[in-house]
Amino acid sequence: MNLDKTKHADLDDAPACDVVAYRAAIKYIRNKVDQLLTVMGTLPLDQEELDDATLIALDPIGIIAESFKQILSHLQETNTALTFARDEIQQILDSVGMAIVVVDRDLQIVAANLVAQRTLLHSADYLHRPLCEILKQAEGAYQQMFLRIAETNTKVERADVYYQNHHYHTVATPIQDIHGELLQVIFSFSDITERKLVEDRLRLLSVVFENTTEGIIITDKDKKIIAVNEPFTQMTGYERDEVLGKSPSLLSSGLHDNSFFEAMWKDIAEHGSWRGEMWDRRKDGEAFPVLQAISQVNAEDGTPTHYVSILTDISAIKASQKHLDFLAYHDPLTKLPNRLLFNERLDHACQLAKRDRRRLAVIFVDLDRFKNINDSLGHQIGDKLLIASARRLTNLLRASDTIARLGGDEFIILLEDIDDPQAIAMLCSNLLAAFEAPFSIDDHSLHITPSMGISLFPDDGQDVDTLVKNADAAMYRAKEEGRNDFQFFTHELSTRANERLTLEASLRKALELNQLRLHYQPQIDMRNGRIVSAEALLRWEHPELGPIPPDKFIPLAEETGLIVPIGEWVLLTACRQAREWVKRYSFFQSIAVNISGRQFQGGKLVTTVQRMLEHSQLSACNLELEITESYLMGKAEQTVITLDALRELGLSLSIDDFGTGYSSLGYLKRFAVDKLKIDRSFVRDVTTDPNDEAIAKAVIALGHSLQMQIVAEGIETPEQRALLLQHGCDLAQGYLFSRPVPAEAFAQLLAMEAAKGR
Amino acid sequence: MKEKRIIVQDLRGQICPACLLITLRNLNEQQAGIKGGQAEFHILTDNRHSTTTIPNAVINMGYAVDVRKEHGHYRIVIAQITGGHTPQSQLDGRPA
């Protein structure tokens, strides 16, 4: 290329004006070329280096024009590319799941994607509107973010933007210009409402998982443990790390065979779950019962992904169930079988005996006068005596025999496989002998004897009820014969047992059928031999059986509770009668009425007495109530208040059968009692037995020292009267003076007494 | 792949802006080949000033430019823009 400066040949010959015009044209061309080159971004031409001829020859404007064509075409391409890129970006923004809003420095919206338009802006007309106008609720949150961005010019995130019931994880990203000035901010809002709900649910579930009382095992589809909770650890003794990745079969107790587990997994596969009881084994080797519920967790396509097993340790329930079972069939005091279990065993034994043509025996055992001990020494001592008695009885039996406690002081024994009734007699003798030695209980040396009745299968009965009933009847017979003995059942006894039942039924009607009577026995002032009062005694005139002795029907009345209405009748009748006599005879001071323990127990005795006094119009000072020593001392604490309340009414109280039970002198002092009645058993031999005389003398002295009067019961001879009078006894009662007589006869006695000249 | 045709314009020892005009003329002539990717236009120059002016102009015209320093001179490589535009790195890569 030759760029040497060469003058244009024609110019030298050209006229001056043309030359000037030429130079001006050249200058113009140079200027315009320089201008165009500068626009293109490059430098002007150097006039010194490029002479005019070369300049023209090069055709610079042509070159530049051509280059400009290229520039224009390039600009067009770039514009197309930019338009494409802009659309592309909008499409990308629209295709993302989150809402994106771009704002300028004035927080005015300059762009938003489709999701934002739908979920946040709710409008197509959002461009250049302030963000705060649209997102009013969330104003605080994004304004804080914007301020922070303005400060730091770095990305800001917040996970807690709440807007229109949705939670958003929001990221604000700054866009800066080339000088680093904040130009725009891109807000992207990811809706995390669902995730938050899931998280909340998971948090809740994890609290449940760890805080339930049930053990939980979660396994994968291959039945490898992937999670257990704390209660599982407590229940089984295995730590989490020890079981993760293992099979739940490490809990296997070995108490179930393969078919058990096969059936279980078959159930799970078919129904998705299984529930039942099984035995597992703790880490320390102890097997324990669990209630287990296994559920299969399925993927959407129905294939199992996990198994969840919930374990409830039911060993405590099982134990208490066992205890309940025990209680249902045993007496809690002596731990012996109870009536229910005994009856079941006896029933079973009867069937076996029938089939094998064998004999069996039922022995009914009742402890003699146990009630006295219970009443006088209290239930605690009584209970201990029962336990000790049960032990003595049990010690003499074979393991195959059954002994049960029926309640109270009643025991019953079943002897199976008996060949010879003599063997039973031998056993009963041994049982009696076992009670010869006294029981030592809480510093008390107690002596008690059993009475026993025996019935035999099949001779005396072939079913439970008959055998027990007949053994009971035989036992009563033994009691009647003087206690501390045994009796075999006889058919005569059966008749008597039936009589007893008949008697009970009759007694229920006796009151309404007006079969009850009161007889009166006078009480005599020993110093002058005159009647001062009477004891009312109950009699029953049965239309067919004739008079029935009180010792036969009163215990029956007490047992059945009939004593309460009967007692009221007695009280009212006696009071009415006494009212008449008191009115007529000034020397007749009072009527004594016996009160049974049963009447005390109801808690209504005081109001009853008060009512009867009102009905009869008898003054309280003319009424005396008699209570037996054994009852009074047995229930001392409970009785004191009632006795005081009775005394408040103004009546007097006496202790009956004194000397037969155990009296506490402390209580005797506290009781508001006016009289002691020496029991007839001491009076009977008082003239012949120095011991009885000593007792009578002591009772009289004791009573007097406590300001009580003494009544001697059962005086039959003048000698007895003389001796007791000599010892200072105040009042007397007995056949020597009069047997108990009906009211009319007693009225005659009173009339005679009056005639003696009072 | 077919080898690119390299058109070399050696301007060493010469002074612009005549060089510039010649370069522009050549670019105009060769634009189809270069923009089509069949050719590259290399300028060898020892004028440092040209390493600024030539790239500024040809970028506006829609070419990719690379300036390489070689022994005693510069090689300005003008080629087709790949990816539709001149990468920023290419512009930044210019020597100061």
Side-chain angles (χ1 to χ4, degrees), chain A residues 190-215:
Chain A
S190 309
D191 191 340
I192 53 167
T193 313
E194 199 71 23
R195 196 177 81 195
K196 236 176 140 51
L197 285 176
V198 170
E199 277 172 4
D200 287 350
R201 239 171 90 92
L202 281 177
R203 200 172 308 118
L204 195 70
L205 288 178
S206 95
V207 170
V208 173
F209 184 72
E210 286 301 345
N211 289 284
T212 174
T213 52
E214 280 84 17

mmCIF file of all heavy atoms in Angstrom, chain A residues 190-215:
data_model
loop_
_atom_site.group_PDB
_atom_site.id
_atom_site.type_symbol
_atom_site.label_atom_id
_atom_site.label_comp_id
_atom_site.label_asym_id
_atom_site.label_seq_id
_atom_site.Cartn_x
_atom_site.Cartn_y
_atom_site.Cartn_z
ATOM 1 N N SER A 190 -41.777 -16.676 48.641
ATOM 2 C CA SER A 190 -42.085 -18.110 48.508
ATOM 3 C C SER A 190 -43.171 -18.445 49.523
ATOM 4 O O SER A 190 -42.997 -18.228 50.728
ATOM 5 C CB SER A 190 -40.855 -18.967 48.821
ATOM 6 O OG SER A 190 -39.780 -18.514 48.074
ATOM 7 N N ASP A 191 -44.263 -18.989 49.044
ATOM 8 C CA ASP A 191 -45.368 -19.350 49.943
ATOM 9 C C ASP A 191 -44.987 -20.603 50.727
ATOM 10 O O ASP A 191 -44.857 -21.688 50.165
ATOM 11 C CB ASP A 191 -46.628 -19.611 49.110
ATOM 12 C CG ASP A 191 -47.851 -19.733 50.002
ATOM 13 O OD1 ASP A 191 -47.676 -20.003 51.203
ATOM 14 O OD2 ASP A 191 -48.972 -19.546 49.483
ATOM 15 N N ILE A 192 -44.767 -20.423 52.053
ATOM 16 C CA ILE A 192 -44.342 -21.573 52.873
ATOM 17 C C ILE A 192 -45.464 -21.999 53.816
ATOM 18 O O ILE A 192 -45.223 -22.683 54.810
ATOM 19 C CB ILE A 192 -43.068 -21.250 53.675
ATOM 20 C CG1 ILE A 192 -43.273 -19.956 54.465
ATOM 21 C CG2 ILE A 192 -41.859 -21.131 52.758
ATOM 22 C CD1 ILE A 192 -42.207 -19.716 55.512
ATOM 23 N N THR A 193 -46.699 -21.574 53.480
ATOM 24 C CA THR A 193 -47.831 -21.899 54.366
ATOM 25 C C THR A 193 -47.951 -23.408 54.575
ATOM 26 O O THR A 193 -48.037 -23.889 55.703
ATOM 27 C CB THR A 193 -49.136 -21.373 53.739
ATOM 28 O OG1 THR A 193 -48.904 -20.029 53.313
ATOM 29 C CG2 THR A 193 -50.258 -21.419 54.730
ATOM 30 N N GLU A 194 -47.917 -24.127 53.460
ATOM 31 C CA GLU A 194 -48.045 -25.578 53.523
ATOM 32 C C GLU A 194 -46.927 -26.185 54.355
ATOM 33 O O GLU A 194 -47.143 -27.017 55.227
ATOM 34 C CB GLU A 194 -48.012 -26.127 52.095
ATOM 35 C CG GLU A 194 -48.582 -27.509 51.958
ATOM 36 C CD GLU A 194 -50.085 -27.535 52.132
ATOM 37 O OE1 GLU A 194 -50.747 -26.498 51.934
ATOM 38 O OE2 GLU A 194 -50.569 -28.591 52.509
ATOM 39 N N ARG A 195 -45.696 -25.684 54.058
ATOM 40 C CA ARG A 195 -44.530 -26.214 54.761
ATOM 41 C C ARG A 195 -44.648 -25.927 56.256
ATOM 42 O O ARG A 195 -44.338 -26.765 57.094
ATOM 43 C CB ARG A 195 -43.261 -25.556 54.206
ATOM 44 C CG ARG A 195 -41.987 -26.288 54.579
ATOM 45 C CD ARG A 195 -40.797 -25.641 53.939
ATOM 46 N NE ARG A 195 -40.361 -24.479 54.703
ATOM 47 C CZ ARG A 195 -39.529 -23.554 54.233
ATOM 48 N NH1 ARG A 195 -39.073 -23.641 53.007
ATOM 49 N NH2 ARG A 195 -39.164 -22.541 54.986
ATOM 50 N N LYS A 196 -45.126 -24.730 56.557
ATOM 51 C CA LYS A 196 -45.269 -24.350 57.960
ATOM 52 C C LYS A 196 -46.286 -25.248 58.661
ATOM 53 O O LYS A 196 -46.067 -25.679 59.792
ATOM 54 C CB LYS A 196 -45.738 -22.899 58.056
ATOM 55 C CG LYS A 196 -44.790 -22.048 58.895
ATOM 56 C CD LYS A 196 -45.225 -20.631 58.894
ATOM 57 C CE LYS A 196 -45.049 -20.000 60.267
ATOM 58 N NZ LYS A 196 -43.721 -20.166 60.859
ATOM 59 N N LEU A 197 -47.387 -25.520 57.947
ATOM 60 C CA LEU A 197 -48.395 -26.418 58.503
ATOM 61 C C LEU A 197 -47.798 -27.787 58.768
ATOM 62 O O LEU A 197 -48.008 -28.391 59.821
ATOM 63 C CB LEU A 197 -49.587 -26.547 57.543
ATOM 64 C CG LEU A 197 -50.537 -25.352 57.507
ATOM 65 C CD1 LEU A 197 -51.606 -25.577 56.450
ATOM 66 C CD2 LEU A 197 -51.192 -25.163 58.874
ATOM 67 N N VAL A 198 -47.047 -28.242 57.786
ATOM 68 C CA VAL A 198 -46.410 -29.554 57.924
ATOM 69 C C VAL A 198 -45.424 -29.530 59.089
ATOM 70 O O VAL A 198 -45.387 -30.449 59.906
ATOM 71 C CB VAL A 198 -45.695 -29.950 56.609
ATOM 72 C CG1 VAL A 198 -44.840 -31.185 56.812
ATOM 73 C CG2 VAL A 198 -46.722 -30.194 55.513
ATOM 74 N N GLU A 199 -44.667 -28.417 59.168
ATOM 75 C CA GLU A 199 -43.700 -28.298 60.258
ATOM 76 C C GLU A 199 -44.408 -28.292 61.611
ATOM 77 O O GLU A 199 -43.982 -28.961 62.551
ATOM 78 C CB GLU A 199 -42.892 -27.003 60.112
ATOM 79 C CG GLU A 199 -41.732 -27.142 59.145
ATOM 80 C CD GLU A 199 -41.060 -25.790 58.866
ATOM 81 O OE1 GLU A 199 -41.463 -24.776 59.485
ATOM 82 O OE2 GLU A 199 -40.158 -25.765 58.041
ATOM 83 N N ASP A 200 -45.497 -27.516 61.684
ATOM 84 C CA ASP A 200 -46.260 -27.463 62.934
ATOM 85 C C ASP A 200 -46.775 -28.842 63.306
ATOM 86 O O ASP A 200 -46.718 -29.269 64.456
ATOM 87 C CB ASP A 200 -47.452 -26.502 62.783
ATOM 88 C CG ASP A 200 -46.993 -25.049 62.766
ATOM 89 O OD1 ASP A 200 -45.802 -24.819 63.059
ATOM 90 O OD2 ASP A 200 -47.811 -24.175 62.442
ATOM 91 N N ARG A 201 -47.292 -29.525 62.277
ATOM 92 C CA ARG A 201 -47.811 -30.871 62.507
ATOM 93 C C ARG A 201 -46.713 -31.810 62.980
ATOM 94 O O ARG A 201 -46.894 -32.581 63.912
ATOM 95 C CB ARG A 201 -48.389 -31.415 61.198
ATOM 96 C CG ARG A 201 -49.844 -31.780 61.293
ATOM 97 C CD ARG A 201 -50.333 -32.093 59.909
ATOM 98 N NE ARG A 201 -50.153 -33.523 59.629
ATOM 99 C CZ ARG A 201 -51.090 -34.428 59.864
ATOM 100 N NH1 ARG A 201 -52.230 -34.073 60.357
ATOM 101 N NH2 ARG A 201 -50.879 -35.693 59.579
ATOM 102 N N LEU A 202 -45.556 -31.677 62.334
ATOM 103 C CA LEU A 202 -44.434 -32.539 62.707
ATOM 104 C C LEU A 202 -43.990 -32.249 64.137
ATOM 105 O O LEU A 202 -43.693 -33.163 64.896
ATOM 106 C CB LEU A 202 -43.258 -32.322 61.751
ATOM 107 C CG LEU A 202 -43.378 -33.019 60.410
ATOM 108 C CD1 LEU A 202 -42.193 -32.666 59.535
ATOM 109 C CD2 LEU A 202 -43.436 -34.534 60.605
ATOM 110 N N ARG A 203 -43.983 -30.937 64.469
ATOM 111 C CA ARG A 203 -43.571 -30.571 65.819
ATOM 112 C C ARG A 203 -44.545 -31.185 66.822
ATOM 113 O O ARG A 203 -44.174 -31.765 67.826
ATOM 114 C CB ARG A 203 -43.540 -29.055 65.949
ATOM 115 C CG ARG A 203 -42.672 -28.586 67.112
ATOM 116 C CD ARG A 203 -42.498 -27.070 67.117
ATOM 117 N NE ARG A 203 -42.033 -26.560 65.845
ATOM 118 C CZ ARG A 203 -42.710 -25.717 65.075
ATOM 119 N NH1 ARG A 203 -43.892 -25.293 65.457
ATOM 120 N NH2 ARG A 203 -42.212 -25.298 63.938
ATOM 121 N N LEU A 204 -45.841 -31.051 66.488
ATOM 122 C CA LEU A 204 -46.885 -31.599 67.345
ATOM 123 C C LEU A 204 -46.723 -33.108 67.490
ATOM 124 O O LEU A 204 -46.750 -33.672 68.579
ATOM 125 C CB LEU A 204 -48.238 -31.280 66.711
ATOM 126 C CG LEU A 204 -49.465 -31.439 67.588
ATOM 127 C CD1 LEU A 204 -49.460 -30.346 68.645
ATOM 128 C CD2 LEU A 204 -50.723 -31.310 66.747
ATOM 129 N N LEU A 205 -46.505 -33.764 66.341
ATOM 130 C CA LEU A 205 -46.384 -35.222 66.350
ATOM 131 C C LEU A 205 -45.163 -35.653 67.152
ATOM 132 O O LEU A 205 -45.192 -36.668 67.844
ATOM 133 C CB LEU A 205 -46.288 -35.757 64.920
ATOM 134 C CG LEU A 205 -47.597 -35.691 64.138
ATOM 135 C CD1 LEU A 205 -47.395 -36.187 62.719
ATOM 136 C CD2 LEU A 205 -48.672 -36.528 64.818
ATOM 137 N N SER A 206 -44.108 -34.843 67.061
ATOM 138 C CA SER A 206 -42.906 -35.262 67.772
ATOM 139 C C SER A 206 -43.113 -35.124 69.281
ATOM 140 O O SER A 206 -42.591 -35.897 70.067
ATOM 141 C CB SER A 206 -41.685 -34.484 67.283
ATOM 142 O OG SER A 206 -41.437 -33.389 68.096
ATOM 143 N N VAL A 207 -43.920 -34.103 69.679
ATOM 144 C CA VAL A 207 -44.242 -33.976 71.103
ATOM 145 C C VAL A 207 -45.057 -35.188 71.548
ATOM 146 O O VAL A 207 -44.801 -35.798 72.581
ATOM 147 C CB VAL A 207 -45.024 -32.662 71.363
ATOM 148 C CG1 VAL A 207 -45.563 -32.641 72.780
ATOM 149 C CG2 VAL A 207 -44.131 -31.462 71.132
ATOM 150 N N VAL A 208 -46.036 -35.548 70.716
ATOM 151 C CA VAL A 208 -46.859 -36.721 71.031
ATOM 152 C C VAL A 208 -45.978 -37.971 71.097
ATOM 153 O O VAL A 208 -46.069 -38.777 72.011
ATOM 154 C CB VAL A 208 -47.969 -36.916 69.974
ATOM 155 C CG1 VAL A 208 -48.710 -38.213 70.194
ATOM 156 C CG2 VAL A 208 -48.938 -35.740 70.022
ATOM 157 N N PHE A 209 -45.108 -38.088 70.114
ATOM 158 C CA PHE A 209 -44.225 -39.249 70.000
ATOM 159 C C PHE A 209 -43.414 -39.449 71.277
ATOM 160 O O PHE A 209 -43.307 -40.562 71.786
ATOM 161 C CB PHE A 209 -43.290 -39.005 68.805
ATOM 162 C CG PHE A 209 -42.379 -40.155 68.483
ATOM 163 C CD1 PHE A 209 -42.880 -41.307 67.906
ATOM 164 C CD2 PHE A 209 -41.024 -40.073 68.730
ATOM 165 C CE1 PHE A 209 -42.037 -42.355 67.592
ATOM 166 C CE2 PHE A 209 -40.177 -41.114 68.419
ATOM 167 C CZ PHE A 209 -40.687 -42.263 67.842
ATOM 168 N N GLU A 210 -42.893 -38.338 71.797
ATOM 169 C CA GLU A 210 -42.008 -38.478 72.956
ATOM 170 C C GLU A 210 -42.763 -38.473 74.287
ATOM 171 O O GLU A 210 -42.245 -38.915 75.279
ATOM 172 C CB GLU A 210 -40.941 -37.366 72.969
ATOM 173 C CG GLU A 210 -39.842 -37.555 71.924
ATOM 174 C CD GLU A 210 -39.070 -38.872 72.065
ATOM 175 O OE1 GLU A 210 -39.165 -39.530 73.115
ATOM 176 O OE2 GLU A 210 -38.375 -39.243 71.103
ATOM 177 N N ASN A 211 -43.988 -37.921 74.268
ATOM 178 C CA ASN A 211 -44.662 -37.739 75.551
ATOM 179 C C ASN A 211 -45.801 -38.703 75.819
ATOM 180 O O ASN A 211 -46.430 -38.632 76.860
ATOM 181 C CB ASN A 211 -45.140 -36.302 75.693
ATOM 182 C CG ASN A 211 -43.975 -35.373 75.901
ATOM 183 O OD1 ASN A 211 -43.401 -35.309 76.974
ATOM 184 N ND2 ASN A 211 -43.596 -34.691 74.840
ATOM 185 N N THR A 212 -46.074 -39.575 74.887
ATOM 186 C CA THR A 212 -47.115 -40.558 75.148
ATOM 187 C C THR A 212 -46.573 -41.566 76.173
ATOM 188 O O THR A 212 -45.366 -41.627 76.389
ATOM 189 C CB THR A 212 -47.498 -41.281 73.845
ATOM 190 O OG1 THR A 212 -48.392 -42.318 74.157
ATOM 191 C CG2 THR A 212 -46.280 -41.860 73.155
ATOM 192 N N THR A 213 -47.469 -42.290 76.806
ATOM 193 C CA THR A 213 -46.981 -43.290 77.751
ATOM 194 C C THR A 213 -46.695 -44.613 77.049
ATOM 195 O O THR A 213 -46.082 -45.495 77.619
ATOM 196 C CB THR A 213 -48.008 -43.548 78.859
ATOM 197 O OG1 THR A 213 -49.256 -43.831 78.231
ATOM 198 C CG2 THR A 213 -48.158 -42.351 79.757
ATOM 199 N N GLU A 214 -47.146 -44.708 75.789
ATOM 200 C CA GLU A 214 -46.918 -45.934 75.052
ATOM 201 C C GLU A 214 -45.535 -45.920 74.394
ATOM 202 O O GLU A 214 -45.050 -44.865 73.984
ATOM 203 C CB GLU A 214 -47.966 -46.105 73.949
ATOM 204 C CG GLU A 214 -49.285 -46.641 74.437
ATOM 205 C CD GLU A 214 -50.191 -45.575 74.990
ATOM 206 O OE1 GLU A 214 -49.942 -44.387 74.702
ATOM 207 O OE2 GLU A 214 -51.125 -45.916 75.732
ATOM 208 N N GLY A 215 -44.951 -47.084 74.302
ATOM 209 C CA GLY A 215 -43.711 -47.198 73.563
ATOM 210 C C GLY A 215 -44.021 -47.232 72.074
ATOM 211 O O GLY A 215 -45.021 -47.820 71.673
#
